[in-house]
Amino acid sequence: MSWTKKILRVNLTKGTCTSEPLNMDWAYKYIGQRGLATKYLIEEIDPRVDPLSPDNKLIFATGPLTGTAASTSARYSVITKGPLTGAIACSNSGGYFGAELKSAGWDMIILEGKAAGPVYLHIENDQASLLDASPLWGTSTWHTEEWIKNTHQDPMMRVASVGIAAENGVLYSAVVNDLHRAAGRSGVGTVMASKNLKAVCVRGTLGIGVRDPKAFMEAATKAKKVLAENAVTSVGLPTHGTQVLMNVINEVGALPTRNAADVQFEGASDISAEAMREVRRTDGKTNLIANQACFGCTIACGRVSKIDQTHYTIVNKPEYWHASGGLEYEAAWALGAATGVNDLEALTYANFICNEQAIDPITFGATLGAAMELYEDGLITDEETGGVKLNIGSAEALTTMVELTGKAEGFGKVLGLGSKRLCEKYGKPELSMSVKGLEFPAYDPRGIQGIGLNYATSNRGACHVRGYTVASEILGIPEKTDPLVTDGKAGLVKAFQDATAAVDSAGICLFTTFAWSLEDIAPQVDAACDGEWTVETMLEAGERIWNMERQFNLAAGFTGKDDTLPKRLLKDAAKTGPAKGLVSGLDKMLPEYYQVRGWSTDGVPTADTLGRLGL
Amino acid sequence: MQKALAIDAGKCTGCKQCELACSFEHEGIFNVVRSRIRVFIFEEEARFVPYTCTQCDQAWCMQVCPVGAITSDPMSGVKSVNAATCVGCKVCTIACPFGTINYNAGSGKVEKCDLCGGDPACARECPTDAITFIDAGLAGYAKMQDWAARTDTAPQAAS
Ligand code: SF4
């Protein structure tokens, strides 16, 4: 406990579902979820495998705290080799699906091979089978979830599925569960669809036990109190969601705008958390309807929105008049600031489509931002876009292109390749705001220096939730550091990256760490699980996981040369705001980072480091 | 003083900490399907509604039980099921107008909210105060005060 100690192995080629025991030696070393599933993936696939071939595998993994009363116990991850990047891919999601999977008795599902035709995986506790999904192929995640619940006459069933985008090879398709929670990045959904797997649905009624129930409840209750007493987790996030950051990050001059040509967006307040709560002049209602928690979460940052029914996007489409997942900060930034669009309702509509068709809004928005720049430079023509004017700041361009990308039609097919391939196609690779093929999110490394080092070194490509130094550099959590300097950032980035790997692997949400440190988390894991879980053992596991992911990438063909940033961030200084005149000082931080990591000067973990971590 | 669960669905976020707490209190594990309080999520309207037994005075479940397995505590008003006596006939589940007493196929007995012997775990763990445990006579008081606060007390124009 609190692992179920069981893995479901599904061979899609053979159509078999078999149960096997969890490798407990690995569980003690890699905790669960992200760490443990990555260990399985690395042991079972060739790192050079084509991500979309049947030889790649896809793992749905819960952590030891998933489904327990620990706050934010909703989390599960989807782990595979990513088609957008060719690097390790691990995308984390909330909602209710993960806890249901664990309650059905499974720590993880390993999916291998490829089905002959469309199938979905149906799990009811220890019974698992592959069923015909041909009626679902070519339909959205929303339709898929409804169809499965109706077909099995079970409204309590939890569903994770892919949309049309994934089926048509959009390289950054997500896996969407519970209608609007997503394992969003790196194209994990594209891998799922490449296996002809439309959905995984699960009903679990077995429940989850912990090693020492009394000690666990004490630790969980104490930790929940810490969240309830912290201003970010008890007021900021429930009230404004992650969108609380929009105005803050714009003000510090770190909001990448118009494909990172600028670091401040004059339309930021129009697409902010505050705007979502404002009464609209058109219909007298607010964009934000409610905040919704994921399973077990005492923070409840999730946004639920309704689009203005008079807005051009949905005025004739009653099927979008209901409430659904609203804008989170990264999505609002990508769909808005990165494209220069400040129409909140258009952004919300684009976000609905991203959920409905399972598209990563970060990569989509960033790719559209790059396409808009290419269009304005005359490199993309009206003929190619089917007559759609891709001007920077055009809401119509945004909402038309998100529809086309979701359906993988017209110019949407090109956008579906992501910004790296798009910019290469037009001979301007430097205009892709990506690292290792993954577009960086809503923090500009010129205004927040540490996050640039994290983007450059993040194992899944540029990503904020691998080492969120913004917490320290902007919010002062756990300690304030100066965002404009590079000094001390190597150690800071390493500390955030290692701790994050441990938090993810435990099966809880990274957002707890606005209030929690591992001092709050380790006692919960320790009371829930066999083994010895302290701050030290968890940190060590986190560092081990980080190095293991790095080794996978090196074996997949990446080198230290890929630990870089787009030229724009290294050469073009910020034009406005506190960071005016600054570029990213990555060259100053990277050598020190390799050193604190115990890696060679070209970024390879030394034998000593691997030995120390038991790798 | 009798105490009751007061539920303010408007505050609920759908986190299910109440269900986790209930199942842990009664079963020793985390299993929301065994919770005696259930939170219903109406996605399209973004409404989250916790629902459980109100310990009603009429207690139709108690009245119809053929073996007297359901009893009422005169002090607290709690209606509880004596598992040793229950024969699993399910007549009470038919009689209850609210559906808040349910059969558990695993044990062959019925289950319902028993207010955890006076310290309901759901109210204790709810992070938003959507569930509170208060004087049964004042269950509507907070709402009443809320509406009272909205009453226009400015001098009215003469009609
Ligand atoms: S614990 Fe409270 S907020 Fe959470 S689901 Fe239950 S009633 Fe709603």
Side-chain angles (χ1 to χ4, degrees):
Chain A
M1 300 211 254
S2 166
W3 301 276
T4 67
K5 301 186 179 171
K6 267 171 58 194
I7 292 179
L8 176 62
R9 186 176 294 275
V10 179
N11 187 303
L12 291 149
T13 311
K14 296 187 201 145
T16 54
C17 301
T18 45
S19 167
E20 50 183 76
L22 185 71
N23 183 326
M24 288 311 295
D25 290 340
W26 291 353
Y28 295 133
K29 279 178 86 174
Y30 302 97
I31 311 175
Q33 228 236 36
R34 171 177 162 191
L36 190 53
T38 304
K39 174 66 180 166
Y40 270 92
L41 187 80
I42 289 177
E43 291 292 331
E44 296 193 13
I45 69 165
D46 176 353
R48 298 210 170 241
V49 73
D50 170 359
L52 298 180
S53 81
D55 293 335
N56 192 9
K57 297 192 186 189
L58 184 77
I59 305 179
F60 282 64
T62 66
L65 294 184
T66 307
T68 68
S71 186
T72 78
S73 67
R75 312 308 293 189
Y76 78 99
S77 274
V78 183
I79 295 96
T80 187
K81 180 175 174 179
L84 188 69
T85 56
I88 188 80
C90 170
S91 296
N92 190 310
S93 181
Y96 302 99
F97 177 87
E100 195 78 23
L101 178 61
K102 181 95 173 273
S103 197
W106 303 105
D107 287 317
M108 56 175 100
I109 314 170
I110 300 180
L111 295 141
E112 52 195 29
K114 177 181 179 175
V119 292
Y120 67 100
L121 175 62
H122 175 262
I123 302 170
E124 205 176 321
N125 294 337
D126 51 356
Q127 301 296 314
S129 54
L130 291 164
L131 304 174
D132 178 23
S134 33
L136 294 172
W137 208 251
T139 72
S140 71
T141 63
W142 292 356
H143 172 265
T144 298
E145 179 161 339
E146 192 186 354
W147 186 94
I148 287 177
K149 286 179 172 174
N150 287 342
T151 303
H152 294 277
Q153 298 184 338
D154 187 354
M156 308 290 282
M157 190 153 253
R158 301 298 177 185
V159 181
S161 66
V162 295
I164 303 171
E167 296 169 15
N168 290 311
V170 168
L171 288 175
Y172 45 92
S173 297
V175 173
V176 167
N177 59 279
D178 303 294
L179 302 173
H180 49 82
R181 308 306 312 184
R185 303 220 69 194
S186 307
V188 295
T190 319
V191 174
M192 181 158 155
S194 78
K195 299 188 170 305
N196 274 331
L197 180 65
K198 180 69 182 175
V200 177
C201 63
V202 59
R203 184 78 156 93
T205 61
L206 302 175
I208 296 155
V210 285
R211 184 183 60 80
D212 181 342
K214 194 166 160 279
F216 178 78
M217 280 312 254
E218 272 169 28
T221 302
K222 198 166 149 223
K224 278 185 268 190
K225 203 157 162 264
V226 174
L227 295 176
E229 285 166 0
N230 177 285
V232 177
T233 47
S234 75
V235 183
L237 284 172
T239 311
H240 290 311
T242 51
Q243 271 274 65
V244 70
L245 288 165
M246 183 61 76
N247 287 322
V248 175
I249 301 297
N250 191 46
E251 232 140 81
V252 300
L255 191 71
T257 300
R258 293 175 281 267
N259 204 33
D262 295 295
V263 295
Q264 289 184 308
F265 181 38
E266 63 289 349
S269 69
D270 302 333
I271 60 168
S272 65
E274 292 79 358
M276 289 169 73
R277 302 182 79 93
E278 248 165 52
V279 175
R280 295 183 287 236
R281 250 172 294 147
T282 40
D283 67 350
K285 297 183 179 139
T286 54
N287 177 285
L288 183 76
I289 301 297
N291 63 322
Q292 180 172 7
C294 295
F295 185 94
C297 175
T298 57
I299 304 174
C301 73
R303 304 290 89 186
V304 185
S305 285
K306 269 190 189 179
I307 305 168
D308 177 356
Q309 283 180 24
T310 67
H311 191 259
Y312 77 89
T313 46
I314 64 158
V315 65
N316 293 317
K317 292 183 190 162
E319 65 269 31
Y320 296 103
W321 290 359
H322 58 79
S324 193
L327 292 166
E328 314 293 342
Y329 172 59
E330 309 297 330
W333 161 79
L335 302 169
T339 61
V341 177
N342 70 340
D343 177 343
L344 182 70
E345 303 302 316
L347 265 52
T348 308
Y349 174 74
N351 197 57
F352 275 28
I353 300 293
C354 284
N355 287 327
E356 187 186 20
Q357 297 304 357
I359 307 169
D360 169 12
I362 300 180
T363 287
F364 170 74
T367 302
L368 182 60
M372 285 173 160
E373 182 166 352
L374 291 165
Y375 178 83
E376 298 230 347
D377 288 349
L379 293 164
I380 294 174
T381 63
D382 280 343
E383 201 184 329
E384 284 168 288
T385 64
V388 183
K389 307 253 176 269
L390 280 197
N391 292 107
I392 293 171
S394 163
E396 283 83 355
L398 170 74
T399 55
T400 309
M401 284 305 152
V402 76
E403 287 171 0
L404 289 177
T405 305
K407 293 186 218 142
E409 283 173 7
F411 194 69
K413 273 204 189 121
V414 186
L415 290 172
L417 300 171
S419 71
K420 179 168 174 268
R421 290 168 179 83
L422 173 100
C423 294
E424 275 166 5
K425 180 176 149 79
Y426 292 98
K428 292 269 182 191
E430 71 278 11
L431 289 188
S432 166
M433 295 302 129
S434 63
V435 178
K436 300 183 178 78
L438 191 69
E439 290 72 11
F440 66 76
Y443 313 88
D444 197 297
R446 291 167 290 198
I448 307 175
Q449 292 287 331
I451 203 74
L453 176 63
N454 173 62
Y455 288 166
T457 57
S458 156
N459 288 320
R460 72 170 186 181
C463 168
H464 57 302
V465 287
R466 282 298 173 274
Y468 194 69
T469 59
V470 176
S472 164
E473 298 182 271
I474 302 300
L475 306 171
I477 303 168
E479 268 154 32
K480 184 83 172 84
T481 52
D482 183 347
L484 302 179
V485 306
T486 53
D487 288 355
K489 295 298 163 65
L492 187 75
V493 166
K494 176 183 182 287
F496 270 89
Q497 289 175 337
D498 292 349
T500 301
V503 172
D504 286 347
S505 301
I508 53 171
C509 180
L510 185 58
F511 293 176
T512 55
T513 59
F514 287 117
W516 288 355
S517 69
L518 286 175
E519 305 263 356
D520 303 286
I521 297 167
Q524 299 183 73
V525 178
D526 194 58
C529 300
D530 298 333
E532 198 197 322
W533 299 100
T534 61
V535 172
E536 291 71 35
T537 57
M538 289 201 68
L539 257 185
E540 194 192 46
E543 186 178 6
R544 183 180 298 124
I545 293 162
W546 191 267
N547 280 272
M548 168 176 68
E549 292 171 340
R550 175 78 175 182
Q551 279 182 298
F552 176 87
N553 283 351
L554 293 173
F558 288 92
T559 69
K561 289 203 178 62
D562 299 298
D563 297 337
T564 187
L565 290 173
K567 216 171 85 196
R568 182 163 278 176
L569 306 178
L570 300 171
K571 301 270 183 244
D572 302 351
K575 292 178 210 152
T576 61
K580 189 173 172 183
L582 283 184
V583 294
S584 163
L586 179 65
D587 55 332
K588 295 191 207 79
M589 299 180 281
L590 192 62
E592 191 191 341
Y593 173 84
Y594 285 172
Q595 214 174 13
V596 297
R597 277 244 168 258
W599 294 355
S600 69
T601 48
D602 49 2
V604 179
T606 61
D608 274 2
T609 301
L610 296 177
R612 176 172 61 82
L613 296 170
L615 283 165
Chain B
M1 174 184 75
Q2 272 193 21
K3 291 180 86 177
L5 291 172
I7 292 180
D8 182 350
K11 291 182 178 162
C12 176
T13 60
C15 75
K16 301 196 177 263
Q17 278 283 346
C18 50
E19 295 185 359
L20 286 162
C22 180
S23 70
F24 183 78
E25 184 79 23
H26 294 98
E27 317 290 336
I29 58 167
F30 302 111
N31 191 359
V32 293
V33 299
R34 296 293 302 282
S35 171
R36 293 122 193 242
I37 183 164
R38 300 304 280 267
V39 180
F40 294 88
I41 297 179
F42 303 96
E43 282 282 351
E44 302 224 327
E45 306 146 51
R47 290 201 307 128
F48 319 109
V49 186
Y51 208 83
T52 191
C53 171
T54 60
Q55 319 295 341
C56 65
D57 285 346
Q58 191 66 24
W60 288 278
C61 61
M62 184 170 79
Q63 289 183 26
V64 296
C65 177
V67 294
I70 300 173
T71 52
S72 175
D73 180 82
M75 289 301 287
S76 63
V78 173
K79 317 292 179 296
S80 20
V81 180
N82 182 341
T85 317
C86 172
V87 293
C89 73
K90 311 180 200 64
V91 173
C92 53
T93 68
I94 300 169
C96 173
F98 308 106
T100 51
I101 183 162
N102 283 291
Y103 178 65
N104 173 357
S107 63
K109 315 281 178 185
V110 295
E111 295 167 350
K112 69 179 284 300
C113 169
D114 58 5
L115 294 180
C116 300
D119 179 19
C122 56
R124 208 168 56 225
E125 296 301 331
C126 174
T128 65
D129 286 342
I131 308 170
T132 48
F133 190 52
I134 58 169
D135 181 344
L138 295 177
Y141 190 76
K143 257 184 238 167
M144 203 160 54
Q145 189 179 30
D146 225 37
W147 283 102
R150 294 188 223 181
T151 302
D152 183 1
T153 45
Q156 305 295 307
S159 50

